[in-house]
Amino acid sequence: MIKDQYLVDRLKRNDLKTLDKVYLTYKKEFFLFARTLNAQEEDIADIYQETIISLYENVQNGKLKKLTSTLKSYVFAIGKFKIYKHMDKTRKLYHEGQVIHISEEMQLFETEALEEQRQVLRKSWKQLGNKCQQILELFYYKGMTLDEIQEVLQYASKDVLKSQKHRCMAQLKELARERYEKA
Amino acid sequence: MKKHELTEKYFGNKLSDEEFGRLEQLLEQDDQLRDGFYHELEVRRAIAHEKHSTLKKRFQELDRNTKKKTRWIPYAAAIALLISIGSIIYGSGPNYGGLYTDNFEVYPNVINLVTRGGDETENSETTAFEFYEAGNYDKATKAFDSLYKKQPKDYLLFYKGVSLLAQNRTEEGIRALESYGWDLNGSDFAIASNWYLGLAHLKQKEVDQAKTFLKKVATSESNLNDQARKLLKQLD
C-alpha cells in the first residue's frame, strides 16, 4: 500500500515512466481477468489502455489522492466498469454512480452503424479548424465552463463565445454529413 | 433553470443530484434536446479518442519493445534502400525554411490531460498548459519559465522551449532546449527535444548540427523516427 501510494504520488508529478511501469505490471493479469468476464479478446488491449489512462486522469484531476485499497484493486475496479460498459451495447449516461438508461427508441442504429458513425465523426473532427477544436475540447473534454473558456481564450463576451461554439458544432455536423454522402 | 444550462453543467461535472434527475426527466420528454445532447456525448467521445491517442501510442510502443526485438531488421533494410534512392532523386539543394515549416508542429500536451482540482502549483501548471493548448505561446512561455524556476521538472523546460519555437523565437528556443542534458538524464522528452533541436538548427541553416540531432531521433524507437529519416534523406 505504501509503495502503491508512492506510485500514485509519482503519477501526480506526471512521471510517465511510472505510468509505463504501472501499465506493464498489471497487464498480463488484467488480460486474464478480462477473459473471465467474457470480454472479447480483440477489445481487451484497448480497454486496458483506456483503464490506465483513466487512472492517470483521476490522479490528475484529484479524484484519486489517497488510495483506500491497493493500486491493483483500484485499476481492476476501473477496468471492470469499462469492460461491462463495453459489453453493454445500450447507450447509457453516467453520473456519480447513477445510470440513465436510454429508452429503446433511442437505439436507432445497430452497433455496426454506430461504430461507423463514430469513425466518421472522428475523421471529421480532425478536419475541423484549430480554433473550433480548442473551444470544443475545453468544453467537452476538459469540462470547463463557458466563463472559464472565455477567460482563457480571451473572448470579448460570453455570447460571442457561445455563438462561436454553435458555429463550430454546426461545422462539425456539416463535415460529418459530407463524409456520409461521399461514402 | 433553462434546459441548456443543465446540459452545460453536465459537461462541466457540475450537476447536483437533483439537477441530474431533472435532466433525466427532460431527456425523456424532449426529443430535440435529447438528439442534441446525444450528439454532444458522441462529440465528447470523439475528442477523448483523439486526446488519448498519444498515450495509447506510447503504450503500444511499450508493448512492442517488450516483445521480440528482431523484427526491425527487414524494415531497416527497406528504409536504407529508400534513403539511397531518395538521395539520388532529390539531388538539388534543399530549402531549409520550407523543410522546417513542413515538419514543425507543436508537441501535444501529454502531461496535463484534465483540468480541475489540485493544489496551487498544480493549478498554475494547468494554466500554463491551457495557454499552450490555446496557442497562446507567449503567455505559455512565461508560465512555464516561472514554474521551472520554482520546480525544475524537465517537461516544463521542454514545453517552454517548444513554446518559444512556436513563436519563431528560434534562438531562444534552442538555448532553452540545449540548457538541459536530456539524453544524460534519461528524460522522457529526450527524443522529442532532439527532434525540435534538429528542426530549429535547420531553420537557422545550421545543417551539421541539425543532422546530429536528427540522427539521434532517426535511430531511436520513437514514432518520430520515420519523420526524422525522411528529413535526413531530404538533407543529403
Side-chain angles (χ1 to χ4, degrees), chain B residues 156-177:
Chain B
L156 295 171
L157 185 62
F158 171 77
Y159 282 101
K160 177 190 157 188
V162 178
S163 302
L164 283 165
L165 295 181
Q167 298 167 78
N168 287 319
R169 289 159 70 182
T170 313
E171 268 197 44
E172 290 170 83
I174 292 179
R175 240 180 291 139
L177 290 175

mmCIF file with all atom_site columns, all heavy atoms in Angstrom, chain B residues 156-177:
data_model
loop_
_atom_site.group_PDB
_atom_site.id
_atom_site.type_symbol
_atom_site.label_atom_id
_atom_site.label_alt_id
_atom_site.label_comp_id
_atom_site.label_asym_id
_atom_site.label_entity_id
_atom_site.label_seq_id
_atom_site.pdbx_PDB_ins_code
_atom_site.Cartn_x
_atom_site.Cartn_y
_atom_site.Cartn_z
_atom_site.occupancy
_atom_site.B_iso_or_equiv
_atom_site.pdbx_formal_charge
_atom_site.auth_seq_id
_atom_site.auth_comp_id
_atom_site.auth_asym_id
_atom_site.auth_atom_id
_atom_site.pdbx_PDB_model_num
ATOM 1   N N   . LEU B 1 156 ? 8.714  20.944 -17.977 1.00 0.00 ? 156 LEU B N   1
ATOM 2   C CA  . LEU B 1 156 ? 8.393  22.378 -18.006 1.00 0.00 ? 156 LEU B CA  1
ATOM 3   C C   . LEU B 1 156 ? 9.343  23.113 -18.944 1.00 0.00 ? 156 LEU B C   1
ATOM 4   O O   . LEU B 1 156 ? 8.946  23.975 -19.730 1.00 0.00 ? 156 LEU B O   1
ATOM 5   C CB  . LEU B 1 156 ? 8.475  22.965 -16.596 1.00 0.00 ? 156 LEU B CB  1
ATOM 6   C CG  . LEU B 1 156 ? 7.450  22.425 -15.588 1.00 0.00 ? 156 LEU B CG  1
ATOM 7   C CD1 . LEU B 1 156 ? 7.768  22.898 -14.186 1.00 0.00 ? 156 LEU B CD1 1
ATOM 8   C CD2 . LEU B 1 156 ? 6.040  22.842 -15.993 1.00 0.00 ? 156 LEU B CD2 1
ATOM 9   N N   . LEU B 1 157 ? 10.615 22.722 -18.860 1.00 0.00 ? 157 LEU B N   1
ATOM 10  C CA  . LEU B 1 157 ? 11.617 23.327 -19.736 1.00 0.00 ? 157 LEU B CA  1
ATOM 11  C C   . LEU B 1 157 ? 11.352 22.941 -21.197 1.00 0.00 ? 157 LEU B C   1
ATOM 12  O O   . LEU B 1 157 ? 11.449 23.768 -22.106 1.00 0.00 ? 157 LEU B O   1
ATOM 13  C CB  . LEU B 1 157 ? 13.019 22.858 -19.307 1.00 0.00 ? 157 LEU B CB  1
ATOM 14  C CG  . LEU B 1 157 ? 14.188 23.479 -20.036 1.00 0.00 ? 157 LEU B CG  1
ATOM 15  C CD1 . LEU B 1 157 ? 14.229 24.984 -19.800 1.00 0.00 ? 157 LEU B CD1 1
ATOM 16  C CD2 . LEU B 1 157 ? 15.496 22.852 -19.570 1.00 0.00 ? 157 LEU B CD2 1
ATOM 17  N N   . PHE B 1 158 ? 10.989 21.691 -21.378 1.00 0.00 ? 158 PHE B N   1
ATOM 18  C CA  . PHE B 1 158 ? 10.705 21.218 -22.728 1.00 0.00 ? 158 PHE B CA  1
ATOM 19  C C   . PHE B 1 158 ? 9.572  22.024 -23.377 1.00 0.00 ? 158 PHE B C   1
ATOM 20  O O   . PHE B 1 158 ? 9.703  22.540 -24.491 1.00 0.00 ? 158 PHE B O   1
ATOM 21  C CB  . PHE B 1 158 ? 10.333 19.729 -22.696 1.00 0.00 ? 158 PHE B CB  1
ATOM 22  C CG  . PHE B 1 158 ? 9.816  19.198 -23.996 1.00 0.00 ? 158 PHE B CG  1
ATOM 23  C CD1 . PHE B 1 158 ? 10.687 18.921 -25.043 1.00 0.00 ? 158 PHE B CD1 1
ATOM 24  C CD2 . PHE B 1 158 ? 8.452  18.996 -24.196 1.00 0.00 ? 158 PHE B CD2 1
ATOM 25  C CE1 . PHE B 1 158 ? 10.210 18.447 -26.256 1.00 0.00 ? 158 PHE B CE1 1
ATOM 26  C CE2 . PHE B 1 158 ? 7.972  18.532 -25.406 1.00 0.00 ? 158 PHE B CE2 1
ATOM 27  C CZ  . PHE B 1 158 ? 8.859  18.253 -26.432 1.00 0.00 ? 158 PHE B CZ  1
ATOM 28  N N   . TYR B 1 159 ? 8.474  22.168 -22.655 1.00 0.00 ? 159 TYR B N   1
ATOM 29  C CA  . TYR B 1 159 ? 7.337  22.886 -23.233 1.00 0.00 ? 159 TYR B CA  1
ATOM 30  C C   . TYR B 1 159 ? 7.629  24.380 -23.369 1.00 0.00 ? 159 TYR B C   1
ATOM 31  O O   . TYR B 1 159 ? 7.095  25.038 -24.250 1.00 0.00 ? 159 TYR B O   1
ATOM 32  C CB  . TYR B 1 159 ? 6.058  22.627 -22.422 1.00 0.00 ? 159 TYR B CB  1
ATOM 33  C CG  . TYR B 1 159 ? 5.448  21.279 -22.737 1.00 0.00 ? 159 TYR B CG  1
ATOM 34  C CD1 . TYR B 1 159 ? 5.623  20.197 -21.881 1.00 0.00 ? 159 TYR B CD1 1
ATOM 35  C CD2 . TYR B 1 159 ? 4.737  21.082 -23.914 1.00 0.00 ? 159 TYR B CD2 1
ATOM 36  C CE1 . TYR B 1 159 ? 5.079  18.945 -22.186 1.00 0.00 ? 159 TYR B CE1 1
ATOM 37  C CE2 . TYR B 1 159 ? 4.185  19.849 -24.224 1.00 0.00 ? 159 TYR B CE2 1
ATOM 38  C CZ  . TYR B 1 159 ? 4.360  18.783 -23.359 1.00 0.00 ? 159 TYR B CZ  1
ATOM 39  O OH  . TYR B 1 159 ? 3.830  17.553 -23.669 1.00 0.00 ? 159 TYR B OH  1
ATOM 40  N N   . LYS B 1 160 ? 8.502  24.902 -22.510 1.00 0.00 ? 160 LYS B N   1
ATOM 41  C CA  . LYS B 1 160 ? 8.923  26.290 -22.690 1.00 0.00 ? 160 LYS B CA  1
ATOM 42  C C   . LYS B 1 160 ? 9.677  26.419 -24.028 1.00 0.00 ? 160 LYS B C   1
ATOM 43  O O   . LYS B 1 160 ? 9.420  27.326 -24.817 1.00 0.00 ? 160 LYS B O   1
ATOM 44  C CB  . LYS B 1 160 ? 9.824  26.729 -21.528 1.00 0.00 ? 160 LYS B CB  1
ATOM 45  C CG  . LYS B 1 160 ? 10.364 28.140 -21.682 1.00 0.00 ? 160 LYS B CG  1
ATOM 46  C CD  . LYS B 1 160 ? 11.441 28.459 -20.640 1.00 0.00 ? 160 LYS B CD  1
ATOM 47  C CE  . LYS B 1 160 ? 12.333 29.581 -21.134 1.00 0.00 ? 160 LYS B CE  1
ATOM 48  N NZ  . LYS B 1 160 ? 13.497 29.802 -20.260 1.00 0.00 ? 160 LYS B NZ  1
ATOM 49  N N   . GLY B 1 161 ? 10.589 25.488 -24.249 1.00 0.00 ? 161 GLY B N   1
ATOM 50  C CA  . GLY B 1 161 ? 11.362 25.507 -25.491 1.00 0.00 ? 161 GLY B CA  1
ATOM 51  C C   . GLY B 1 161 ? 10.467 25.447 -26.717 1.00 0.00 ? 161 GLY B C   1
ATOM 52  O O   . GLY B 1 161 ? 10.608 26.237 -27.656 1.00 0.00 ? 161 GLY B O   1
ATOM 53  N N   . VAL B 1 162 ? 9.516  24.521 -26.701 1.00 0.00 ? 162 VAL B N   1
ATOM 54  C CA  . VAL B 1 162 ? 8.617  24.369 -27.859 1.00 0.00 ? 162 VAL B CA  1
ATOM 55  C C   . VAL B 1 162 ? 7.765  25.635 -28.030 1.00 0.00 ? 162 VAL B C   1
ATOM 56  O O   . VAL B 1 162 ? 7.529  26.089 -29.147 1.00 0.00 ? 162 VAL B O   1
ATOM 57  C CB  . VAL B 1 162 ? 7.735  23.110 -27.718 1.00 0.00 ? 162 VAL B CB  1
ATOM 58  C CG1 . VAL B 1 162 ? 6.776  22.999 -28.890 1.00 0.00 ? 162 VAL B CG1 1
ATOM 59  C CG2 . VAL B 1 162 ? 8.599  21.862 -27.639 1.00 0.00 ? 162 VAL B CG2 1
ATOM 60  N N   . SER B 1 163 ? 7.339  26.216 -26.897 1.00 0.00 ? 163 SER B N   1
ATOM 61  C CA  . SER B 1 163 ? 6.535  27.451 -26.979 1.00 0.00 ? 163 SER B CA  1
ATOM 62  C C   . SER B 1 163 ? 7.339  28.566 -27.632 1.00 0.00 ? 163 SER B C   1
ATOM 63  O O   . SER B 1 163 ? 6.805  29.360 -28.413 1.00 0.00 ? 163 SER B O   1
ATOM 64  C CB  . SER B 1 163 ? 6.094  27.908 -25.593 1.00 0.00 ? 163 SER B CB  1
ATOM 65  O OG  . SER B 1 163 ? 5.359  26.908 -24.950 1.00 0.00 ? 163 SER B OG  1
ATOM 66  N N   . LEU B 1 164 ? 8.634  28.644 -27.307 1.00 0.00 ? 164 LEU B N   1
ATOM 67  C CA  . LEU B 1 164 ? 9.484  29.664 -27.934 1.00 0.00 ? 164 LEU B CA  1
ATOM 68  C C   . LEU B 1 164 ? 9.601  29.420 -29.438 1.00 0.00 ? 164 LEU B C   1
ATOM 69  O O   . LEU B 1 164 ? 9.459  30.335 -30.250 1.00 0.00 ? 164 LEU B O   1
ATOM 70  C CB  . LEU B 1 164 ? 10.876 29.654 -27.289 1.00 0.00 ? 164 LEU B CB  1
ATOM 71  C CG  . LEU B 1 164 ? 10.980 30.331 -25.917 1.00 0.00 ? 164 LEU B CG  1
ATOM 72  C CD1 . LEU B 1 164 ? 12.282 29.952 -25.221 1.00 0.00 ? 164 LEU B CD1 1
ATOM 73  C CD2 . LEU B 1 164 ? 10.885 31.844 -26.061 1.00 0.00 ? 164 LEU B CD2 1
ATOM 74  N N   . LEU B 1 165 ? 9.842  28.162 -29.796 1.00 0.00 ? 165 LEU B N   1
ATOM 75  C CA  . LEU B 1 165 ? 9.969  27.839 -31.221 1.00 0.00 ? 165 LEU B CA  1
ATOM 76  C C   . LEU B 1 165 ? 8.682  28.171 -31.979 1.00 0.00 ? 165 LEU B C   1
ATOM 77  O O   . LEU B 1 165 ? 8.717  28.665 -33.097 1.00 0.00 ? 165 LEU B O   1
ATOM 78  C CB  . LEU B 1 165 ? 10.302 26.357 -31.403 1.00 0.00 ? 165 LEU B CB  1
ATOM 79  C CG  . LEU B 1 165 ? 11.660 25.884 -30.869 1.00 0.00 ? 165 LEU B CG  1
ATOM 80  C CD1 . LEU B 1 165 ? 11.845 24.405 -31.150 1.00 0.00 ? 165 LEU B CD1 1
ATOM 81  C CD2 . LEU B 1 165 ? 12.799 26.683 -31.488 1.00 0.00 ? 165 LEU B CD2 1
ATOM 82  N N   . ALA B 1 166 ? 7.563  27.921 -31.327 1.00 0.00 ? 166 ALA B N   1
ATOM 83  C CA  . ALA B 1 166 ? 6.272  28.166 -31.977 1.00 0.00 ? 166 ALA B CA  1
ATOM 84  C C   . ALA B 1 166 ? 6.061  29.653 -32.262 1.00 0.00 ? 166 ALA B C   1
ATOM 85  O O   . ALA B 1 166 ? 5.247  30.019 -33.093 1.00 0.00 ? 166 ALA B O   1
ATOM 86  C CB  . ALA B 1 166 ? 5.132  27.628 -31.125 1.00 0.00 ? 166 ALA B CB  1
ATOM 87  N N   . GLN B 1 167 ? 6.798  30.508 -31.544 1.00 0.00 ? 167 GLN B N   1
ATOM 88  C CA  . GLN B 1 167 ? 6.686  31.951 -31.788 1.00 0.00 ? 167 GLN B CA  1
ATOM 89  C C   . GLN B 1 167 ? 7.779  32.443 -32.724 1.00 0.00 ? 167 GLN B C   1
ATOM 90  O O   . GLN B 1 167 ? 8.021  33.642 -32.823 1.00 0.00 ? 167 GLN B O   1
ATOM 91  C CB  . GLN B 1 167 ? 6.836  32.731 -30.478 1.00 0.00 ? 167 GLN B CB  1
ATOM 92  C CG  . GLN B 1 167 ? 5.795  32.452 -29.444 1.00 0.00 ? 167 GLN B CG  1
ATOM 93  C CD  . GLN B 1 167 ? 6.214  33.031 -28.104 1.00 0.00 ? 167 GLN B CD  1
ATOM 94  O OE1 . GLN B 1 167 ? 6.096  34.215 -27.871 1.00 0.00 ? 167 GLN B OE1 1
ATOM 95  N NE2 . GLN B 1 167 ? 6.755  32.190 -27.237 1.00 0.00 ? 167 GLN B NE2 1
ATOM 96  N N   . ASN B 1 168 ? 8.494  31.501 -33.320 1.00 0.00 ? 168 ASN B N   1
ATOM 97  C CA  . ASN B 1 168 ? 9.647  31.832 -34.157 1.00 0.00 ? 168 ASN B CA  1
ATOM 98  C C   . ASN B 1 168 ? 10.763 32.512 -33.377 1.00 0.00 ? 168 ASN B C   1
ATOM 99  O O   . ASN B 1 168 ? 11.578 33.228 -33.961 1.00 0.00 ? 168 ASN B O   1
ATOM 100 C CB  . ASN B 1 168 ? 9.242  32.710 -35.344 1.00 0.00 ? 168 ASN B CB  1
ATOM 101 C CG  . ASN B 1 168 ? 8.477  31.899 -36.365 1.00 0.00 ? 168 ASN B CG  1
ATOM 102 O OD1 . ASN B 1 168 ? 8.847  30.745 -36.631 1.00 0.00 ? 168 ASN B OD1 1
ATOM 103 N ND2 . ASN B 1 168 ? 7.416  32.456 -36.888 1.00 0.00 ? 168 ASN B ND2 1
ATOM 104 N N   . ARG B 1 169 ? 10.764 32.326 -32.049 1.00 0.00 ? 169 ARG B N   1
ATOM 105 C CA  . ARG B 1 169 ? 11.905 32.818 -31.263 1.00 0.00 ? 169 ARG B CA  1
ATOM 106 C C   . ARG B 1 169 ? 12.917 31.672 -31.217 1.00 0.00 ? 169 ARG B C   1
ATOM 107 O O   . ARG B 1 169 ? 13.184 31.077 -30.169 1.00 0.00 ? 169 ARG B O   1
ATOM 108 C CB  . ARG B 1 169 ? 11.431 33.234 -29.869 1.00 0.00 ? 169 ARG B CB  1
ATOM 109 C CG  . ARG B 1 169 ? 10.583 34.509 -29.906 1.00 0.00 ? 169 ARG B CG  1
ATOM 110 C CD  . ARG B 1 169 ? 9.722  34.664 -28.697 1.00 0.00 ? 169 ARG B CD  1
ATOM 111 N NE  . ARG B 1 169 ? 10.471 34.953 -27.474 1.00 0.00 ? 169 ARG B NE  1
ATOM 112 C CZ  . ARG B 1 169 ? 9.884  35.097 -26.283 1.00 0.00 ? 169 ARG B CZ  1
ATOM 113 N NH1 . ARG B 1 169 ? 8.568  34.997 -26.175 1.00 0.00 ? 169 ARG B NH1 1
ATOM 114 N NH2 . ARG B 1 169 ? 10.604 35.345 -25.212 1.00 0.00 ? 169 ARG B NH2 1
ATOM 115 N N   . THR B 1 170 ? 13.445 31.375 -32.423 1.00 0.00 ? 170 THR B N   1
ATOM 116 C CA  . THR B 1 170 ? 14.185 30.135 -32.594 1.00 0.00 ? 170 THR B CA  1
ATOM 117 C C   . THR B 1 170 ? 15.454 30.069 -31.738 1.00 0.00 ? 170 THR B C   1
ATOM 118 O O   . THR B 1 170 ? 15.731 29.056 -31.102 1.00 0.00 ? 170 THR B O   1
ATOM 119 C CB  . THR B 1 170 ? 14.537 29.958 -34.082 1.00 0.00 ? 170 THR B CB  1
ATOM 120 O OG1 . THR B 1 170 ? 13.345 30.219 -34.836 1.00 0.00 ? 170 THR B OG1 1
ATOM 121 C CG2 . THR B 1 170 ? 15.001 28.560 -34.379 1.00 0.00 ? 170 THR B CG2 1
ATOM 122 N N   . GLU B 1 171 ? 16.205 31.175 -31.723 1.00 0.00 ? 171 GLU B N   1
ATOM 123 C CA  . GLU B 1 171 ? 17.458 31.119 -30.964 1.00 0.00 ? 171 GLU B CA  1
ATOM 124 C C   . GLU B 1 171 ? 17.219 30.906 -29.483 1.00 0.00 ? 171 GLU B C   1
ATOM 125 O O   . GLU B 1 171 ? 17.918 30.112 -28.840 1.00 0.00 ? 171 GLU B O   1
ATOM 126 C CB  . GLU B 1 171 ? 18.240 32.418 -31.171 1.00 0.00 ? 171 GLU B CB  1
ATOM 127 C CG  . GLU B 1 171 ? 19.203 32.271 -32.324 1.00 0.00 ? 171 GLU B CG  1
ATOM 128 C CD  . GLU B 1 171 ? 20.261 33.340 -32.315 1.00 0.00 ? 171 GLU B CD  1
ATOM 129 O OE1 . GLU B 1 171 ? 20.805 33.613 -31.219 1.00 0.00 ? 171 GLU B OE1 1
ATOM 130 O OE2 . GLU B 1 171 ? 20.521 33.900 -33.384 1.00 0.00 ? 171 GLU B OE2 1
ATOM 131 N N   . GLU B 1 172 ? 16.237 31.617 -28.950 1.00 0.00 ? 172 GLU B N   1
ATOM 132 C CA  . GLU B 1 172 ? 15.917 31.435 -27.537 1.00 0.00 ? 172 GLU B CA  1
ATOM 133 C C   . GLU B 1 172 ? 15.450 30.008 -27.266 1.00 0.00 ? 172 GLU B C   1
ATOM 134 O O   . GLU B 1 172 ? 15.784 29.415 -26.242 1.00 0.00 ? 172 GLU B O   1
ATOM 135 C CB  . GLU B 1 172 ? 14.804 32.404 -27.110 1.00 0.00 ? 172 GLU B CB  1
ATOM 136 C CG  . GLU B 1 172 ? 15.221 33.854 -27.062 1.00 0.00 ? 172 GLU B CG  1
ATOM 137 C CD  . GLU B 1 172 ? 13.987 34.746 -26.864 1.00 0.00 ? 172 GLU B CD  1
ATOM 138 O OE1 . GLU B 1 172 ? 13.559 34.906 -25.711 1.00 0.00 ? 172 GLU B OE1 1
ATOM 139 O OE2 . GLU B 1 172 ? 13.453 35.237 -27.883 1.00 0.00 ? 172 GLU B OE2 1
ATOM 140 N N   . GLY B 1 173 ? 14.673 29.483 -28.216 1.00 0.00 ? 173 GLY B N   1
ATOM 141 C CA  . GLY B 1 173 ? 14.186 28.113 -28.083 1.00 0.00 ? 173 GLY B CA  1
ATOM 142 C C   . GLY B 1 173 ? 15.351 27.134 -28.034 1.00 0.00 ? 173 GLY B C   1
ATOM 143 O O   . GLY B 1 173 ? 15.381 26.222 -27.204 1.00 0.00 ? 173 GLY B O   1
ATOM 144 N N   . ILE B 1 174 ? 16.311 27.339 -28.935 1.00 0.00 ? 174 ILE B N   1
ATOM 145 C CA  . ILE B 1 174 ? 17.486 26.458 -28.952 1.00 0.00 ? 174 ILE B CA  1
ATOM 146 C C   . ILE B 1 174 ? 18.222 26.556 -27.616 1.00 0.00 ? 174 ILE B C   1
ATOM 147 O O   . ILE B 1 174 ? 18.584 25.548 -27.011 1.00 0.00 ? 174 ILE B O   1
ATOM 148 C CB  . ILE B 1 174 ? 18.431 26.838 -30.113 1.00 0.00 ? 174 ILE B CB  1
ATOM 149 C CG1 . ILE B 1 174 ? 17.764 26.518 -31.455 1.00 0.00 ? 174 ILE B CG1 1
ATOM 150 C CG2 . ILE B 1 174 ? 19.756 26.103 -29.987 1.00 0.00 ? 174 ILE B CG2 1
ATOM 151 C CD1 . ILE B 1 174 ? 18.584 26.867 -32.674 1.00 0.00 ? 174 ILE B CD1 1
ATOM 152 N N   . ARG B 1 175 ? 18.389 27.792 -27.144 1.00 0.00 ? 175 ARG B N   1
ATOM 153 C CA  . ARG B 1 175 ? 19.124 27.972 -25.885 1.00 0.00 ? 175 ARG B CA  1
ATOM 154 C C   . ARG B 1 175 ? 18.422 27.241 -24.738 1.00 0.00 ? 175 ARG B C   1
ATOM 155 O O   . ARG B 1 175 ? 19.055 26.567 -23.935 1.00 0.00 ? 175 ARG B O   1
ATOM 156 C CB  . ARG B 1 175 ? 19.261 29.464 -25.558 1.00 0.00 ? 175 ARG B CB  1
ATOM 157 C CG  . ARG B 1 175 ? 20.738 29.880 -25.473 1.00 0.00 ? 175 ARG B CG  1
ATOM 158 C CD  . ARG B 1 175 ? 20.865 31.359 -25.142 1.00 0.00 ? 175 ARG B CD  1
ATOM 159 N NE  . ARG B 1 175 ? 20.411 32.195 -26.249 1.00 0.00 ? 175 ARG B NE  1
ATOM 160 C CZ  . ARG B 1 175 ? 19.690 33.309 -26.095 1.00 0.00 ? 175 ARG B CZ  1
ATOM 161 N NH1 . ARG B 1 175 ? 19.313 33.716 -24.883 1.00 0.00 ? 175 ARG B NH1 1
ATOM 162 N NH2 . ARG B 1 175 ? 19.332 34.018 -27.140 1.00 0.00 ? 175 ARG B NH2 1
ATOM 163 N N   . ALA B 1 176 ? 17.106 27.380 -24.700 1.00 0.00 ? 176 ALA B N   1
ATOM 164 C CA  . ALA B 1 176 ? 16.357 26.714 -23.620 1.00 0.00 ? 176 ALA B CA  1
ATOM 165 C C   . ALA B 1 176 ? 16.527 25.202 -23.708 1.00 0.00 ? 176 ALA B C   1
ATOM 166 O O   . ALA B 1 176 ? 16.845 24.537 -22.717 1.00 0.00 ? 176 ALA B O   1
ATOM 167 C CB  . ALA B 1 176 ? 14.883 27.087 -23.706 1.00 0.00 ? 176 ALA B CB  1
ATOM 168 N N   . LEU B 1 177 ? 16.346 24.665 -24.901 1.00 0.00 ? 177 LEU B N   1
ATOM 169 C CA  . LEU B 1 177 ? 16.391 23.206 -25.037 1.00 0.00 ? 177 LEU B CA  1
ATOM 170 C C   . LEU B 1 177 ? 17.802 22.650 -24.859 1.00 0.00 ? 177 LEU B C   1
ATOM 171 O O   . LEU B 1 177 ? 17.987 21.534 -24.395 1.00 0.00 ? 177 LEU B O   1
ATOM 172 C CB  . LEU B 1 177 ? 15.822 22.774 -26.394 1.00 0.00 ? 177 LEU B CB  1
ATOM 173 C CG  . LEU B 1 177 ? 14.310 22.954 -26.568 1.00 0.00 ? 177 LEU B CG  1
ATOM 174 C CD1 . LEU B 1 177 ? 13.883 22.611 -27.985 1.00 0.00 ? 177 LEU B CD1 1
ATOM 175 C CD2 . LEU B 1 177 ? 13.542 22.075 -25.581 1.00 0.00 ? 177 LEU B CD2 1
#
